[in-house]
Amino acid sequence: MEIYRRYGIEPIINASGTVTRLGGAGMSTGVVDAWTQAARATVPLDHLQAAASRRIAARCGVEAGLVVGGAAAGLLLGTAAILAGPSLARMEQLPDVHGVTHELIVARAQRNGYDHAVRTAGARLVEVGMDEIAAGSGVRATELWEYEAAIGPQTAGVMYTLTHDSRPHLADVVTLAHHHSLPVLVDAAAQLPPVDNLHTVCQTGADLVVFSGGKALGGPQSTGILCGRRDLIGSAFLQMMDSDERFELWDPPAEFVDRDAFRGLPRQGIGRVIKVAKEEIVALLTALDEFTPTVIEARVNEQLRLLSYIQSQLTPELAETTLEGPPKPTLRIRPAAGWTKRSVTEICQRLRAGAPPIYLGTGALDQGLLTIHPACLDESSIKVLTERLITELT
Ligand SMILES: *Cc1c(COP(=O)(O)O)cnc(C)c1O
């Protein structure tokens, strides 16, 4: 904590969860130790990424994997791999896509700000489908035939954002895409826990899958996992690594690259701007090792206990509370009408303005609800938070 005060910044109580703008989750002692040790020696990064690949492959049930600079970085690199494949010329050319097949089909309802990373690689997103449910008038979301109808000569692949209720199902989209020999890139950034998703998402046959390292995985904020097909991971690897090396001496890991297939080395590629450090790779791998069903079950039970404490302190006169269970325990709070004259937005503002600043989840303010995401809370912060909340609600 003191380290932040040295720079005049007061650490906050974070009830918003592992969001990037609030710095994500704190890392475990094991992860921080791994980081510190890794920072004290140097190793060839390609060998380290090869080791990471073996570890990720085993956990996710895929051919290969890379530690990348966040899930968004994984989307950029995954797209670059789809567009360039093994071609050195195309790696050099991106994000200019002149002469490169460069369209990715995406359900309109799955578009979101993170797909800027896909466009950054040079891809053009071709939207399909309508969400009649969102319109309140119907029952259908995007359908498979709409993906199929959009496939044309410029189609390079399919982009899919995974949530618990994304439609059509990923497995069906993968089957359709593969029928047309197209790869599928999946954004599963925030789909952990459950721990099982590490392999169940990949089991759908998706060619490339992206997970965030700095959310529930508990790794550094600037890490993520890109995993899937070996040839595509190889292309992503080449476009991220610093390859200013003599070709005669170049010894790329067999995990990613068939050296014989290359007549030269790529130059610094599009992924060079999102490089990852050795400490980050080691810390992410340590976090991945710690991310087991037993550890996560204990963590989730602790979160439920913390939320139940707040719930027990908020009497019905103050607020109505609803506790949502695993995989991501969440407490929703509806201030009792009559007690406080403040809107939920005002309550959030006042809690942020106090000392220490408290940041509640704001995802349900429109429904008049305050939200507590417990991922970054502990015993002592929960007490302070509860007291301050009661003051605001009274
Ligand atoms: C958080 C998130 C990302 C970005 O993840 P980073 O690891 O912060 O780069 C991308 N897509 C979705 C859906 C996310 O929730």
Side-chain angles (χ1 to χ4, degrees), residues 221-244:
Q221 270 289 289
S222 50
T223 59
I225 291 173
L226 172 68
C227 64
R229 245 169 63 189
R230 176 176 175 269
D231 61 323
L232 291 172
I233 295 295
S235 176
F237 167 80
L238 290 175
Q239 295 184 74
M240 175 171 70
M241 297 305 284
D242 167 9
S243 359
D244 195 14

Side-chain angles (χ1 to χ4, degrees), residues 187-229:
D187 180 355
Q191 297 311 301
L192 301 172
V195 176
D196 277 358
N197 274 1
L198 276 176
H199 61 265
T200 52
V201 179
C202 300
Q203 261 168 10
T204 59
D207 302 82
L208 288 171
V209 178
V210 159
F211 295 106
S212 210
K215 292 179 179 161
L217 257 180
Q221 270 289 289
S222 50
T223 59
I225 291 173
L226 172 68
C227 64
R229 245 169 63 189

